[in-house]
Amino acid sequence: MSAAPDHRTLHNRVLAEVGPAIAAGEYEPGAVLTLDRLANRYGVSRTVAREAVRVLESMRLVVSRPRTGVTVRPPEEWSVYDPQLIRWRLAGPRRIEQLRSLTELRAAVEPPAAAFAAR
């Protein structure tokens, strides 16, 4: 008797392919993906594809609408402080842009935090 497939592993595999591709700009803002295409491309069920899309939605990389599909959002709408998205952007061609964003965040947060800690 064979064991059932690990759906978490499957959904993570799809997520590990699609997420970095969106973060790298391989899918332009406004590009429409469908669950069927994702399922067929990665050899998974629609349920597994839907789980991956839900994670991408939580990161605000995509928006899913009935009869429209899954639409890639513009980078300005992404949850740019999501740790997974930061990792994907650091590993992609937009590394310098991500490093600049993190440096700006540090410059804004660290001085007031240090002043508060000193008090």
Side-chain angles (χ1 to χ4, degrees):
M1 183 186 255
S2 64
D6 182 356
H7 291 287
R8 185 170 48 181
T9 300
L10 292 174
H11 118 268
N12 283 338
R13 189 187 69 173
V14 173
L15 188 61
E17 294 282 331
V18 178
I22 292 172
E26 292 175 30
Y27 294 104
E28 295 291 324
V32 178
L33 311 169
T34 65
L35 291 178
D36 287 333
R37 260 190 266 149
L38 290 172
N40 289 335
R41 180 171 182 184
Y42 297 103
V44 297
S45 68
R46 283 176 50 93
T47 302
V48 171
R50 189 176 301 114
E51 289 175 23
V53 166
R54 283 188 184 138
V55 174
L56 294 171
E57 280 184 303
S58 74
M59 300 166 80
R60 299 185 49 84
L61 292 175
V62 299
V63 61
S64 181
R65 293 198 173 95
R67 294 188 201 85
T68 303
V70 179
T71 306
V72 177
R73 298 177 113 159
E76 301 81 43
E77 297 179 11
W78 297 352
S79 296
V80 293
Y81 301 120
D82 183 287
Q84 194 165 23
L85 178 56
I86 290 171
R87 281 191 297 274
W88 291 340
R89 291 182 72 197
L90 286 173
R94 296 181 176 174
R95 178 180 175 81
I96 299 300
E97 183 181 321
Q98 179 63 39
L99 289 171
R100 188 173 300 118
S101 174
L102 291 173
T103 301
E104 289 172 8
L105 175 64
R106 287 184 64 191
V109 172
E110 286 180 357
F116 181 74
R119 280 187 232 150

